[in-house]
Amino acid sequence: MAGYLTTHVLDTARGCPAAGLRIDLYRIDGDKRALVRSLVTNEDGRTDEQILPAAEFKTGTYELLFHAGAYLDATEQFGDEPKFLDLIPLRFGMAQQAHYHVPLLLSPYGYSTYRGS
């Protein structure tokens, strides 16, 4: 089985998918951080394509950078400046050729994540 990476972002404050949220994927190699791609979530809070498709999948350490502050501003969920949440980095390892699903549950003052299916 070939590995690949997906995500799903849900806006728990509004009770809906987080559409229009930019996500950057980085590959981490020691102290080097290389941008792999940038995507934006669709109306379902997912990306239109896999974040890291099987043809490009390599095991290793990665970071998803969720641009939460810009999304919260765009959806008029304003808070005090500076924002409590702006950029949310999630660094994780993928050790197997498998499907890795890394969702984000987001509100203006908190978030959670887990390895989904």
Side-chain angles (χ1 to χ4, degrees):
M1 177 167 126
Y4 61 99
L5 173 65
T6 58
T7 192
H8 190 196
V9 185
L10 297 172
D11 183 331
T12 58
R14 295 173 57 219
C16 63
L21 190 144
R22 180 176 152 195
I23 304 167
D24 300 328
L25 174 67
Y26 292 89
R27 180 165 170 81
I28 309 300
D29 187 12
D31 61 351
K32 296 178 186 171
R33 182 176 176 244
L35 180 65
V36 176
R37 72 176 28 89
S38 294
L39 300 161
V40 176
T41 57
N42 60 25
E43 293 299 315
D44 191 38
R46 301 174 190 272
T47 56
D48 288 333
E49 57 191 70
Q50 296 167 349
I51 295 174
L52 188 59
E56 300 172 34
F57 187 89
K58 294 181 194 172
T59 59
T61 302
Y62 290 85
E63 181 178 286
L64 285 170
L65 183 64
F66 294 88
H67 292 254
Y71 166 80
L72 293 168
D73 283 348
T75 56
E76 299 182 351
Q77 297 183 70
F78 305 112
D80 296 331
E81 289 292 335
K83 295 173 185 60
F84 182 72
L85 292 176
D86 189 12
L87 298 173
I88 300 174
L90 298 179
R91 192 166 287 193
F92 55 96
M94 297 190 293
Q96 303 170 8
Q97 288 288 330
H99 175 199
Y100 286 83
H101 184 66
V102 182
L104 183 74
L105 306 176
L106 173 65
S107 75
Y109 296 100
Y111 67 91
S112 65
T113 189
Y114 55 94
R115 181 174 176 190
S117 58

